[in-house]
Amino acid sequence: MCRIFGSFAAGAARPEPAELSAVSARQRHGGPDEHQVLSGAGWSLGCDRLAVTDPCGGQQPYRLPHLPGVLAVLNGEIYNHTELRRHLAARGHRFPDRCDGTVLPALYAEYGPAFAEHLDGMFAVAILDLRTGGPAGPQLVLAVDDMGMKPVHVHHDPSDGSTRFASEIPALLAFDSVRISPREDSLDTVLATRTSFSTHTALDGIDVLPPGATAVVRPGCRPVVRRRPPHHPAEASAPVGDAQDVLRHEVRRLARSEMPVCAITSGGLDSGLVTALVAEYARESDAPPPHTFHLTYRGKWPDSEAAYARAVARRARTVHHEVALDPDELGSLLTRTVRHLGQPNADPIALSTYALFRAVRQAGFTVALAGDGADELFGGYERMRAALDAPAGADWAGAYADALSAAPRMLREHLYTPAYRAYLADEGSAADRIEQELRSAEAVGADRLTAMTAFETRWRLPAYHLRRVDHLSMAWAVEARMPFCQPGVVAYARSLPPSARRGKRALYEAGRELLPTSVLNRPKQPFTLPIAAMLAPGGPLLDTVRDLLSPARLVLGGKVRADRVQKLLTRHLERPSHQNALALWGLAVHELWSDVVQGMRIPVGCAA
């Protein structure tokens, strides 16, 4: 697990060491164990390493003596590296260590840009092929895993044909020639979807590779991106069985590590299953009981899940850590999370996620297993149930899109200035595109649940959940592993009939032998922060949000009507509600991100 970066330009000078050092410094938190950069005329390739697999070997960028023109860097884990090494050794390749990424130059030498089709894991890979004698010629190849667990952000400069990439946006912005501006639709996208969406980021000129994509960059050319066929679960030795069998197989694969491993336990079904199976594996391996972590807040706050998390830990017999965060710290955590994410994310869970992984690292753990991805694959969200129950002729897609938002469509349009509403009417919004995708899928014959899970896993999950987990776990040099996002579980979920996926029925059945009845029978509740209470009169986040939403700031931005935002705040203070609090939070996070953008020396308002 690492942070990676690099550049590729035709006929350019060697990048300045000071520039590359600045890029690395902005994401060094994710790779504190080792730092290495290689560069030459028109190219650079760097890595900040978090040593997990073969900590004493695996120096990046990876190079093999018999392939001097092929360099590679890896962020993530390749779980089938032992099998790949055996296969490649039989074809004459030799390796200096047993690190997972060491196989990458040889795998590329055998298969070219199709190398990623042979990888099982979570990964963002960059390979520089500097050989000039072959048919391909020099090229940069970028690839990310099928679910988008490990992102890579890309900037292409059409003026000189150069391409630069990095694991994190702040690092990418440290390249001297990367000069871009916030997207005009970024505020609407954040309020409509809570984060940047699709392959776009909140910054015009910076994209993120979509899940399961490979990009090939030839000298002076724009990256050519294609989606790969899904990784076949047979290549991961996926078992045949029920949900419990399939998940058990993936948990055991991911629980093996040369570094200390723990589990995140929210108190819900998904993380509870992962916790129970991690503990089962430890007992059968005669290993000590695993450690589990749960975040709560000091004082009395609504919607606490601590009792459910304790019940899961007792049943699994883990060493349980209940991390009690001081609410007075939340204001400072907000700035840190926005800076680490590099773009706005309007879900208050970001603060909780950051604080939780801080506690994991401070307790001495490098690897944490989490339950992300289950709702998207197994139909667990309330918005899915509502869409399935919607009668014929109802606007289920519009209601679904509204359920994704920080502020529903009617509220957004009420808050926007006439000029901003006119801009969105001309250009369209993220919500419009989501509704169209859902309706189109149903129109061509997909059942409604399949249409929703396809949308969730293709766009929502990587943009909203996985990028946040990646950035905020790596902010503390913790590798987050997600069993539900592995090929075997994904293929199993997609093979089920809609009736078994609706409401996570298959997972509830899997949990009957593993989890307390109280957890199985509890109402569904996302792991989050009680934002309505935190923004109520006297709440610890109220002053921060009030300052960020001052009329002077909002008038200067020109996108929302300051008077209506103030009325919304007054209404919330008189009668606190989750919906109004979330809308205010989304507006505030976008304002704070605008400040962070300027702090990174981006010329706001300039053309890309």
Side-chain angles (χ1 to χ4, degrees), residues 4 17 68 120-121 127 138 140 176 207 267 286-287 335-336 371 390 404 422 432-433 449 452 481 527 559 569:
I4 62 175
D120 171 26
I127 291 182
L140 167 68
D176 291 341
D207 291 325
D286 292 323
T335 301
R336 293 180 220 168
L404 299 173
D432 296 332
R433 291 186 286 275
L449 182 56
M452 290 184 288
R481 297 181 177 179
F527 166 57
K559 292 182 174 64
L569 178 58

mmCIF file with all atom_site columns, all heavy atoms in Angstrom, residues 4 17 68 120-121 127 138 140 176 207 267 286-287 335-336 371 390 404 422 432-433 449 452 481 527 559 569:
data_model
loop_
_atom_site.group_PDB
_atom_site.id
_atom_site.type_symbol
_atom_site.label_atom_id
_atom_site.label_alt_id
_atom_site.label_comp_id
_atom_site.label_asym_id
_atom_site.label_entity_id
_atom_site.label_seq_id
_atom_site.pdbx_PDB_ins_code
_atom_site.Cartn_x
_atom_site.Cartn_y
_atom_site.Cartn_z
_atom_site.occupancy
_atom_site.B_iso_or_equiv
_atom_site.pdbx_formal_charge
_atom_site.auth_seq_id
_atom_site.auth_comp_id
_atom_site.auth_asym_id
_atom_site.auth_atom_id
_atom_site.pdbx_PDB_model_num
ATOM 1   N N   . ILE A 1 4   ? 1.505   6.910   -5.082  1.00 0.00 ? 4   ILE A N   1
ATOM 2   C CA  . ILE A 1 4   ? 2.309   6.907   -6.300  1.00 0.00 ? 4   ILE A CA  1
ATOM 3   C C   . ILE A 1 4   ? 2.093   8.199   -7.067  1.00 0.00 ? 4   ILE A C   1
ATOM 4   O O   . ILE A 1 4   ? 1.069   8.873   -6.897  1.00 0.00 ? 4   ILE A O   1
ATOM 5   C CB  . ILE A 1 4   ? 1.989   5.694   -7.189  1.00 0.00 ? 4   ILE A CB  1
ATOM 6   C CG1 . ILE A 1 4   ? 0.523   5.705   -7.651  1.00 0.00 ? 4   ILE A CG1 1
ATOM 7   C CG2 . ILE A 1 4   ? 2.304   4.391   -6.450  1.00 0.00 ? 4   ILE A CG2 1
ATOM 8   C CD1 . ILE A 1 4   ? 0.159   4.601   -8.641  1.00 0.00 ? 4   ILE A CD1 1
ATOM 9   N N   . PRO A 1 17  ? 14.200  17.997  -9.377  1.00 0.00 ? 17  PRO A N   1
ATOM 10  C CA  . PRO A 1 17  ? 14.076  17.236  -8.123  1.00 0.00 ? 17  PRO A CA  1
ATOM 11  C C   . PRO A 1 17  ? 13.245  17.953  -7.065  1.00 0.00 ? 17  PRO A C   1
ATOM 12  O O   . PRO A 1 17  ? 12.493  17.306  -6.327  1.00 0.00 ? 17  PRO A O   1
ATOM 13  C CB  . PRO A 1 17  ? 15.533  17.076  -7.674  1.00 0.00 ? 17  PRO A CB  1
ATOM 14  C CG  . PRO A 1 17  ? 16.329  17.157  -8.938  1.00 0.00 ? 17  PRO A CG  1
ATOM 15  C CD  . PRO A 1 17  ? 15.596  18.148  -9.805  1.00 0.00 ? 17  PRO A CD  1
ATOM 16  N N   . PRO A 1 68  ? 15.308  -3.761  -18.062 1.00 0.00 ? 68  PRO A N   1
ATOM 17  C CA  . PRO A 1 68  ? 15.725  -2.434  -17.584 1.00 0.00 ? 68  PRO A CA  1
ATOM 18  C C   . PRO A 1 68  ? 14.864  -1.286  -18.072 1.00 0.00 ? 68  PRO A C   1
ATOM 19  O O   . PRO A 1 68  ? 14.865  -0.210  -17.462 1.00 0.00 ? 68  PRO A O   1
ATOM 20  C CB  . PRO A 1 68  ? 17.165  -2.309  -18.112 1.00 0.00 ? 68  PRO A CB  1
ATOM 21  C CG  . PRO A 1 68  ? 17.199  -3.218  -19.298 1.00 0.00 ? 68  PRO A CG  1
ATOM 22  C CD  . PRO A 1 68  ? 16.308  -4.368  -18.950 1.00 0.00 ? 68  PRO A CD  1
ATOM 23  N N   . ASP A 1 120 ? -5.578  -9.786  -9.279  1.00 0.00 ? 120 ASP A N   1
ATOM 24  C CA  . ASP A 1 120 ? -6.667  -9.909  -8.324  1.00 0.00 ? 120 ASP A CA  1
ATOM 25  C C   . ASP A 1 120 ? -6.265  -9.113  -7.090  1.00 0.00 ? 120 ASP A C   1
ATOM 26  O O   . ASP A 1 120 ? -5.298  -9.455  -6.407  1.00 0.00 ? 120 ASP A O   1
ATOM 27  C CB  . ASP A 1 120 ? -6.892  -11.385 -7.968  1.00 0.00 ? 120 ASP A CB  1
ATOM 28  C CG  . ASP A 1 120 ? -7.870  -11.563 -6.821  1.00 0.00 ? 120 ASP A CG  1
ATOM 29  O OD1 . ASP A 1 120 ? -8.721  -10.687 -6.634  1.00 0.00 ? 120 ASP A OD1 1
ATOM 30  O OD2 . ASP A 1 120 ? -7.764  -12.578 -6.109  1.00 0.00 ? 120 ASP A OD2 1
ATOM 31  N N   . GLY A 1 121 ? -6.997  -8.044  -6.816  1.00 0.00 ? 121 GLY A N   1
ATOM 32  C CA  . GLY A 1 121 ? -6.653  -7.240  -5.651  1.00 0.00 ? 121 GLY A CA  1
ATOM 33  C C   . GLY A 1 121 ? -7.266  -5.873  -5.719  1.00 0.00 ? 121 GLY A C   1
ATOM 34  O O   . GLY A 1 121 ? -8.199  -5.615  -6.480  1.00 0.00 ? 121 GLY A O   1
ATOM 35  N N   . ILE A 1 127 ? 2.848   2.007   -15.005 1.00 0.00 ? 127 ILE A N   1
ATOM 36  C CA  . ILE A 1 127 ? 4.007   1.367   -15.626 1.00 0.00 ? 127 ILE A CA  1
ATOM 37  C C   . ILE A 1 127 ? 4.549   2.291   -16.704 1.00 0.00 ? 127 ILE A C   1
ATOM 38  O O   . ILE A 1 127 ? 3.804   2.771   -17.568 1.00 0.00 ? 127 ILE A O   1
ATOM 39  C CB  . ILE A 1 127 ? 3.630   0.003   -16.227 1.00 0.00 ? 127 ILE A CB  1
ATOM 40  C CG1 . ILE A 1 127 ? 3.308   -0.982  -15.091 1.00 0.00 ? 127 ILE A CG1 1
ATOM 41  C CG2 . ILE A 1 127 ? 4.749   -0.534  -17.114 1.00 0.00 ? 127 ILE A CG2 1
ATOM 42  C CD1 . ILE A 1 127 ? 2.973   -2.378  -15.532 1.00 0.00 ? 127 ILE A CD1 1
ATOM 43  N N   . PRO A 1 138 ? 7.897   4.120   -26.353 1.00 0.00 ? 138 PRO A N   1
ATOM 44  C CA  . PRO A 1 138 ? 7.707   4.587   -24.986 1.00 0.00 ? 138 PRO A CA  1
ATOM 45  C C   . PRO A 1 138 ? 6.233   4.888   -24.712 1.00 0.00 ? 138 PRO A C   1
ATOM 46  O O   . PRO A 1 138 ? 5.533   5.472   -25.547 1.00 0.00 ? 138 PRO A O   1
ATOM 47  C CB  . PRO A 1 138 ? 8.545   5.866   -24.931 1.00 0.00 ? 138 PRO A CB  1
ATOM 48  C CG  . PRO A 1 138 ? 9.533   5.729   -26.046 1.00 0.00 ? 138 PRO A CG  1
ATOM 49  C CD  . PRO A 1 138 ? 8.833   4.958   -27.111 1.00 0.00 ? 138 PRO A CD  1
ATOM 50  N N   . LEU A 1 140 ? 3.218   5.329   -21.160 1.00 0.00 ? 140 LEU A N   1
ATOM 51  C CA  . LEU A 1 140 ? 2.797   5.236   -19.765 1.00 0.00 ? 140 LEU A CA  1
ATOM 52  C C   . LEU A 1 140 ? 1.474   4.480   -19.735 1.00 0.00 ? 140 LEU A C   1
ATOM 53  O O   . LEU A 1 140 ? 0.560   4.783   -20.509 1.00 0.00 ? 140 LEU A O   1
ATOM 54  C CB  . LEU A 1 140 ? 2.621   6.638   -19.172 1.00 0.00 ? 140 LEU A CB  1
ATOM 55  C CG  . LEU A 1 140 ? 1.901   6.733   -17.821 1.00 0.00 ? 140 LEU A CG  1
ATOM 56  C CD1 . LEU A 1 140 ? 2.744   6.129   -16.704 1.00 0.00 ? 140 LEU A CD1 1
ATOM 57  C CD2 . LEU A 1 140 ? 1.574   8.209   -17.494 1.00 0.00 ? 140 LEU A CD2 1
ATOM 58  N N   . ASP A 1 176 ? 4.428   21.792  -11.078 1.00 0.00 ? 176 ASP A N   1
ATOM 59  C CA  . ASP A 1 176 ? 4.451   23.213  -11.423 1.00 0.00 ? 176 ASP A CA  1
ATOM 60  C C   . ASP A 1 176 ? 3.485   23.571  -12.545 1.00 0.00 ? 176 ASP A C   1
ATOM 61  O O   . ASP A 1 176 ? 2.886   24.645  -12.547 1.00 0.00 ? 176 ASP A O   1
ATOM 62  C CB  . ASP A 1 176 ? 5.871   23.630  -11.824 1.00 0.00 ? 176 ASP A CB  1
ATOM 63  C CG  . ASP A 1 176 ? 6.834   23.627  -10.651 1.00 0.00 ? 176 ASP A CG  1
ATOM 64  O OD1 . ASP A 1 176 ? 6.346   23.660  -9.492  1.00 0.00 ? 176 ASP A OD1 1
ATOM 65  O OD2 . ASP A 1 176 ? 8.059   23.562  -10.883 1.00 0.00 ? 176 ASP A OD2 1
ATOM 66  N N   . ASP A 1 207 ? -9.076  14.424  -13.788 1.00 0.00 ? 207 ASP A N   1
ATOM 67  C CA  . ASP A 1 207 ? -10.019 13.309  -13.829 1.00 0.00 ? 207 ASP A CA  1
ATOM 68  C C   . ASP A 1 207 ? -9.497  12.175  -12.968 1.00 0.00 ? 207 ASP A C   1
ATOM 69  O O   . ASP A 1 207 ? -8.322  12.135  -12.592 1.00 0.00 ? 207 ASP A O   1
ATOM 70  C CB  . ASP A 1 207 ? -10.214 12.823  -15.266 1.00 0.00 ? 207 ASP A CB  1
ATOM 71  C CG  . ASP A 1 207 ? -10.952 13.832  -16.130 1.00 0.00 ? 207 ASP A CG  1
ATOM 72  O OD1 . ASP A 1 207 ? -11.845 14.526  -15.595 1.00 0.00 ? 207 ASP A OD1 1
ATOM 73  O OD2 . ASP A 1 207 ? -10.633 13.946  -17.324 1.00 0.00 ? 207 ASP A OD2 1
ATOM 74  N N   . GLY A 1 267 ? -21.247 -1.830  14.323  1.00 0.00 ? 267 GLY A N   1
ATOM 75  C CA  . GLY A 1 267 ? -22.438 -2.281  15.034  1.00 0.00 ? 267 GLY A CA  1
ATOM 76  C C   . GLY A 1 267 ? -23.545 -2.713  14.096  1.00 0.00 ? 267 GLY A C   1
ATOM 77  O O   . GLY A 1 267 ? -24.625 -3.110  14.547  1.00 0.00 ? 267 GLY A O   1
ATOM 78  N N   . ASP A 1 286 ? -5.224  -20.522 15.687  1.00 0.00 ? 286 ASP A N   1
ATOM 79  C CA  . ASP A 1 286 ? -4.574  -20.435 17.003  1.00 0.00 ? 286 ASP A CA  1
ATOM 80  C C   . ASP A 1 286 ? -3.858  -19.107 17.190  1.00 0.00 ? 286 ASP A C   1
ATOM 81  O O   . ASP A 1 286 ? -2.803  -19.031 17.838  1.00 0.00 ? 286 ASP A O   1
ATOM 82  C CB  . ASP A 1 286 ? -3.582  -21.591 17.196  1.00 0.00 ? 286 ASP A CB  1
ATOM 83  C CG  . ASP A 1 286 ? -4.287  -22.940 17.298  1.00 0.00 ? 286 ASP A CG  1
ATOM 84  O OD1 . ASP A 1 286 ? -5.385  -22.983 17.893  1.00 0.00 ? 286 ASP A OD1 1
ATOM 85  O OD2 . ASP A 1 286 ? -3.748  -23.934 16.795  1.00 0.00 ? 286 ASP A OD2 1
ATOM 86  N N   . ALA A 1 287 ? -4.424  -18.057 16.598  1.00 0.00 ? 287 ALA A N   1
ATOM 87  C CA  . ALA A 1 287 ? -3.881  -16.714 16.741  1.00 0.00 ? 287 ALA A CA  1
ATOM 88  C C   . ALA A 1 287 ? -4.580  -16.006 17.898  1.00 0.00 ? 287 ALA A C   1
ATOM 89  O O   . ALA A 1 287 ? -5.677  -16.405 18.319  1.00 0.00 ? 287 ALA A O   1
ATOM 90  C CB  . ALA A 1 287 ? -4.071  -15.925 15.449  1.00 0.00 ? 287 ALA A CB  1
ATOM 91  N N   . THR A 1 335 ? -11.336 20.702  8.664   1.00 0.00 ? 335 THR A N   1
ATOM 92  C CA  . THR A 1 335 ? -10.320 21.258  7.770   1.00 0.00 ? 335 THR A CA  1
ATOM 93  C C   . THR A 1 335 ? -9.348  20.181  7.315   1.00 0.00 ? 335 THR A C   1
ATOM 94  O O   . THR A 1 335 ? -8.975  20.109  6.138   1.00 0.00 ? 335 THR A O   1
ATOM 95  C CB  . THR A 1 335 ? -9.553  22.384  8.479   1.00 0.00 ? 335 THR A CB  1
ATOM 96  O OG1 . THR A 1 335 ? -10.484 23.401  8.873   1.00 0.00 ? 335 THR A OG1 1
ATOM 97  C CG2 . THR A 1 335 ? -8.505  22.992  7.557   1.00 0.00 ? 335 THR A CG2 1
ATOM 98  N N   . ARG A 1 336 ? -8.947  19.308  8.226   1.00 0.00 ? 336 ARG A N   1
ATOM 99  C CA  . ARG A 1 336 ? -7.987  18.262  7.870   1.00 0.00 ? 336 ARG A CA  1
ATOM 100 C C   . ARG A 1 336 ? -8.584  17.275  6.871   1.00 0.00 ? 336 ARG A C   1
ATOM 101 O O   . ARG A 1 336 ? -7.911  16.845  5.930   1.00 0.00 ? 336 ARG A O   1
ATOM 102 C CB  . ARG A 1 336 ? -7.533  17.515  9.128   1.00 0.00 ? 336 ARG A CB  1
ATOM 103 C CG  . ARG A 1 336 ? -6.708  18.367  10.073  1.00 0.00 ? 336 ARG A CG  1
ATOM 104 C CD  . ARG A 1 336 ? -6.292  17.569  11.282  1.00 0.00 ? 336 ARG A CD  1
ATOM 105 N NE  . ARG A 1 336 ? -6.378  18.366  12.495  1.00 0.00 ? 336 ARG A NE  1
ATOM 106 C CZ  . ARG A 1 336 ? -6.293  17.872  13.718  1.00 0.00 ? 336 ARG A CZ  1
ATOM 107 N NH1 . ARG A 1 336 ? -6.144  16.577  13.891  1.00 0.00 ? 336 ARG A NH1 1
ATOM 108 N NH2 . ARG A 1 336 ? -6.364  18.659  14.769  1.00 0.00 ? 336 ARG A NH2 1
ATOM 109 N N   . GLY A 1 371 ? -16.413 -3.166  6.227   1.00 0.00 ? 371 GLY A N   1
ATOM 110 C CA  . GLY A 1 371 ? -17.582 -3.760  5.583   1.00 0.00 ? 371 GLY A CA  1
ATOM 111 C C   . GLY A 1 371 ? -18.162 -2.967  4.431   1.00 0.00 ? 371 GLY A C   1
ATOM 112 O O   . GLY A 1 371 ? -19.312 -3.216  4.041   1.00 0.00 ? 371 GLY A O   1
ATOM 113 N N   . ALA A 1 390 ? -42.210 1.611   -5.457  1.00 0.00 ? 390 ALA A N   1
ATOM 114 C CA  . ALA A 1 390 ? -42.907 2.690   -6.163  1.00 0.00 ? 390 ALA A CA  1
ATOM 115 C C   . ALA A 1 390 ? -43.880 2.103   -7.184  1.00 0.00 ? 390 ALA A C   1
ATOM 116 O O   . ALA A 1 390 ? -43.526 1.189   -7.935  1.00 0.00 ? 390 ALA A O   1
ATOM 117 C CB  . ALA A 1 390 ? -41.906 3.607   -6.861  1.00 0.00 ? 390 ALA A CB  1
ATOM 118 N N   . LEU A 1 404 ? -30.065 10.542  -2.790  1.00 0.00 ? 404 LEU A N   1
ATOM 119 C CA  . LEU A 1 404 ? -28.608 10.599  -2.789  1.00 0.00 ? 404 LEU A CA  1
ATOM 120 C C   . LEU A 1 404 ? -28.076 11.949  -2.345  1.00 0.00 ? 404 LEU A C   1
ATOM 121 O O   . LEU A 1 404 ? -26.894 12.085  -2.039  1.00 0.00 ? 404 LEU A O   1
ATOM 122 C CB  . LEU A 1 404 ? -28.072 10.319  -4.197  1.00 0.00 ? 404 LEU A CB  1
ATOM 123 C CG  . LEU A 1 404 ? -28.386 8.974   -4.835  1.00 0.00 ? 404 LEU A CG  1
ATOM 124 C CD1 . LEU A 1 404 ? -27.901 8.978   -6.283  1.00 0.00 ? 404 LEU A CD1 1
ATOM 125 C CD2 . LEU A 1 404 ? -27.748 7.837   -4.070  1.00 0.00 ? 404 LEU A CD2 1
ATOM 126 N N   . ALA A 1 422 ? -29.877 29.190  -14.229 1.00 0.00 ? 422 ALA A N   1
ATOM 127 C CA  . ALA A 1 422 ? -29.848 29.253  -15.691 1.00 0.00 ? 422 ALA A CA  1
ATOM 128 C C   . ALA A 1 422 ? -28.670 28.465  -16.252 1.00 0.00 ? 422 ALA A C   1
ATOM 129 O O   . ALA A 1 422 ? -28.797 27.756  -17.265 1.00 0.00 ? 422 ALA A O   1
ATOM 130 C CB  . ALA A 1 422 ? -29.786 30.707  -16.155 1.00 0.00 ? 422 ALA A CB  1
ATOM 131 N N   . ASP A 1 432 ? -29.538 15.121  -13.055 1.00 0.00 ? 432 ASP A N   1
ATOM 132 C CA  . ASP A 1 432 ? -30.173 14.816  -14.344 1.00 0.00 ? 432 ASP A CA  1
ATOM 133 C C   . ASP A 1 432 ? -29.549 13.573  -14.969 1.00 0.00 ? 432 ASP A C   1
ATOM 134 O O   . ASP A 1 432 ? -30.246 12.692  -15.496 1.00 0.00 ? 432 ASP A O   1
ATOM 135 C CB  . ASP A 1 432 ? -30.025 15.988  -15.316 1.00 0.00 ? 432 ASP A CB  1
ATOM 136 C CG  . ASP A 1 432 ? -30.738 17.237  -14.842 1.00 0.00 ? 432 ASP A CG  1
ATOM 137 O OD1 . ASP A 1 432 ? -31.729 17.101  -14.101 1.00 0.00 ? 432 ASP A OD1 1
ATOM 138 O OD2 . ASP A 1 432 ? -30.289 18.342  -15.204 1.00 0.00 ? 432 ASP A OD2 1
ATOM 139 N N   . ARG A 1 433 ? -28.221 13.487  -14.912 1.00 0.00 ? 433 ARG A N   1
ATOM 140 C CA  . ARG A 1 433 ? -27.530 12.361  -15.533 1.00 0.00 ? 433 ARG A CA  1
ATOM 141 C C   . ARG A 1 433 ? -27.809 11.055  -14.795 1.00 0.00 ? 433 ARG A C   1
ATOM 142 O O   . ARG A 1 433 ? -27.924 9.991   -15.416 1.00 0.00 ? 433 ARG A O   1
ATOM 143 C CB  . ARG A 1 433 ? -26.029 12.656  -15.591 1.00 0.00 ? 433 ARG A CB  1
ATOM 144 C CG  . ARG A 1 433 ? -25.687 13.791  -16.576 1.00 0.00 ? 433 ARG A CG  1
ATOM 145 C CD  . ARG A 1 433 ? -24.202 13.973  -16.741 1.00 0.00 ? 433 ARG A CD  1
ATOM 146 N NE  . ARG A 1 433 ? -23.579 14.615  -15.601 1.00 0.00 ? 433 ARG A NE  1
ATOM 147 C CZ  . ARG A 1 433 ? -23.510 15.933  -15.425 1.00 0.00 ? 433 ARG A CZ  1
ATOM 148 N NH1 . ARG A 1 433 ? -24.049 16.761  -16.320 1.00 0.00 ? 433 ARG A NH1 1
ATOM 149 N NH2 . ARG A 1 433 ? -22.905 16.437  -14.364 1.00 0.00 ? 433 ARG A NH2 1
ATOM 150 N N   . LEU A 1 449 ? -33.885 -3.314  -9.582  1.00 0.00 ? 449 LEU A N   1
ATOM 151 C CA  . LEU A 1 449 ? -32.824 -3.505  -8.599  1.00 0.00 ? 449 LEU A CA  1
ATOM 152 C C   . LEU A 1 449 ? -31.473 -3.661  -9.285  1.00 0.00 ? 449 LEU A C   1
ATOM 153 O O   . LEU A 1 449 ? -30.468 -3.096  -8.834  1.00 0.00 ? 449 LEU A O   1
ATOM 154 C CB  . LEU A 1 449 ? -33.118 -4.726  -7.732  1.00 0.00 ? 449 LEU A CB  1
ATOM 155 C CG  . LEU A 1 449 ? -32.098 -5.006  -6.623  1.00 0.00 ? 449 LEU A CG  1
ATOM 156 C CD1 . LEU A 1 449 ? -31.932 -3.792  -5.709  1.00 0.00 ? 449 LEU A CD1 1
ATOM 157 C CD2 . LEU A 1 449 ? -32.499 -6.232  -5.812  1.00 0.00 ? 449 LEU A CD2 1
ATOM 158 N N   . MET A 1 452 ? -30.235 -0.305  -10.306 1.00 0.00 ? 452 MET A N   1
ATOM 159 C CA  . MET A 1 452 ? -29.725 0.489   -9.183  1.00 0.00 ? 452 MET A CA  1
ATOM 160 C C   . MET A 1 452 ? -28.383 -0.023  -8.687  1.00 0.00 ? 452 MET A C   1
ATOM 161 O O   . MET A 1 452 ? -27.459 0.773   -8.433  1.00 0.00 ? 452 MET A O   1
ATOM 162 C CB  . MET A 1 452 ? -30.747 0.491   -8.044  1.00 0.00 ? 452 MET A CB  1
ATOM 163 C CG  . MET A 1 452 ? -31.998 1.299   -8.357  1.00 0.00 ? 452 MET A CG  1
ATOM 164 S SD  . MET A 1 452 ? -33.150 1.407   -6.965  1.00 0.00 ? 452 MET A SD  1
ATOM 165 C CE  . MET A 1 452 ? -33.818 -0.266  -6.912  1.00 0.00 ? 452 MET A CE  1
ATOM 166 N N   . ARG A 1 481 ? -8.859  -2.838  3.962   1.00 0.00 ? 481 ARG A N   1
ATOM 167 C CA  . ARG A 1 481 ? -9.197  -3.926  3.053   1.00 0.00 ? 481 ARG A CA  1
ATOM 168 C C   . ARG A 1 481 ? -10.690 -4.207  3.149   1.00 0.00 ? 481 ARG A C   1
ATOM 169 O O   . ARG A 1 481 ? -11.245 -4.260  4.257   1.00 0.00 ? 481 ARG A O   1
ATOM 170 C CB  . ARG A 1 481 ? -8.395  -5.185  3.394   1.00 0.00 ? 481 ARG A CB  1
ATOM 171 C CG  . ARG A 1 481 ? -6.889  -5.018  3.229   1.00 0.00 ? 481 ARG A CG  1
ATOM 172 C CD  . ARG A 1 481 ? -6.131  -6.295  3.556   1.00 0.00 ? 481 ARG A CD  1
ATOM 173 N NE  . ARG A 1 481 ? -4.707  -6.162  3.335   1.00 0.00 ? 481 ARG A NE  1
ATOM 174 C CZ  . ARG A 1 481 ? -3.814  -7.125  3.553   1.00 0.00 ? 481 ARG A CZ  1
ATOM 175 N NH1 . ARG A 1 481 ? -4.228  -8.318  3.981   1.00 0.00 ? 481 ARG A NH1 1
ATOM 176 N NH2 . ARG A 1 481 ? -2.527  -6.916  3.330   1.00 0.00 ? 481 ARG A NH2 1
ATOM 177 N N   . PHE A 1 527 ? -23.285 4.264   9.470   1.00 0.00 ? 527 PHE A N   1
ATOM 178 C CA  . PHE A 1 527 ? -22.247 4.794   10.344  1.00 0.00 ? 527 PHE A CA  1
ATOM 179 C C   . PHE A 1 527 ? -22.035 6.251   9.963   1.00 0.00 ? 527 PHE A C   1
ATOM 180 O O   . PHE A 1 527 ? -21.581 6.562   8.870   1.00 0.00 ? 527 PHE A O   1
ATOM 181 C CB  . PHE A 1 527 ? -20.962 3.978   10.144  1.00 0.00 ? 527 PHE A CB  1
ATOM 182 C CG  . PHE A 1 527 ? -19.725 4.612   10.736  1.00 0.00 ? 527 PHE A CG  1
ATOM 183 C CD1 . PHE A 1 527 ? -19.669 4.931   12.079  1.00 0.00 ? 527 PHE A CD1 1
ATOM 184 C CD2 . PHE A 1 527 ? -18.620 4.884   9.945   1.00 0.00 ? 527 PHE A CD2 1
ATOM 185 C CE1 . PHE A 1 527 ? -18.532 5.508   12.619  1.00 0.00 ? 527 PHE A CE1 1
ATOM 186 C CE2 . PHE A 1 527 ? -17.482 5.463   10.473  1.00 0.00 ? 527 PHE A CE2 1
ATOM 187 C CZ  . PHE A 1 527 ? -17.438 5.771   11.823  1.00 0.00 ? 527 PHE A CZ  1
ATOM 188 N N   . LYS A 1 559 ? -23.370 31.944  -6.322  1.00 0.00 ? 559 LYS A N   1
ATOM 189 C CA  . LYS A 1 559 ? -24.140 30.771  -6.742  1.00 0.00 ? 559 LYS A CA  1
ATOM 190 C C   . LYS A 1 559 ? -25.400 30.548  -5.892  1.00 0.00 ? 559 LYS A C   1
ATOM 191 O O   . LYS A 1 559 ? -26.365 29.940  -6.371  1.00 0.00 ? 559 LYS A O   1
ATOM 192 C CB  . LYS A 1 559 ? -23.264 29.522  -6.707  1.00 0.00 ? 559 LYS A CB  1
ATOM 193 C CG  . LYS A 1 559 ? -22.150 29.514  -7.755  1.00 0.00 ? 559 LYS A CG  1
ATOM 194 C CD  . LYS A 1 559 ? -21.357 28.217  -7.688  1.00 0.00 ? 559 LYS A CD  1
ATOM 195 C CE  . LYS A 1 559 ? -20.348 28.132  -8.825  1.00 0.00 ? 559 LYS A CE  1
ATOM 196 N NZ  . LYS A 1 559 ? -19.317 29.188  -8.740  1.00 0.00 ? 559 LYS A NZ  1
ATOM 197 N N   . LEU A 1 569 ? -30.817 28.305  7.796   1.00 0.00 ? 569 LEU A N   1
ATOM 198 C CA  . LEU A 1 569 ? -30.112 28.125  9.062   1.00 0.00 ? 569 LEU A CA  1
ATOM 199 C C   . LEU A 1 569 ? -31.011 28.477  10.237  1.00 0.00 ? 569 LEU A C   1
ATOM 200 O O   . LEU A 1 569 ? -31.057 27.752  11.239  1.00 0.00 ? 569 LEU A O   1
ATOM 201 C CB  . LEU A 1 569 ? -28.839 28.988  9.072   1.00 0.00 ? 569 LEU A CB  1
ATOM 202 C CG  . LEU A 1 569 ? -28.003 28.955  10.359  1.00 0.00 ? 569 LEU A CG  1
ATOM 203 C CD1 . LEU A 1 569 ? -27.568 27.539  10.694  1.00 0.00 ? 569 LEU A CD1 1
ATOM 204 C CD2 . LEU A 1 569 ? -26.790 29.875  10.215  1.00 0.00 ? 569 LEU A CD2 1
#
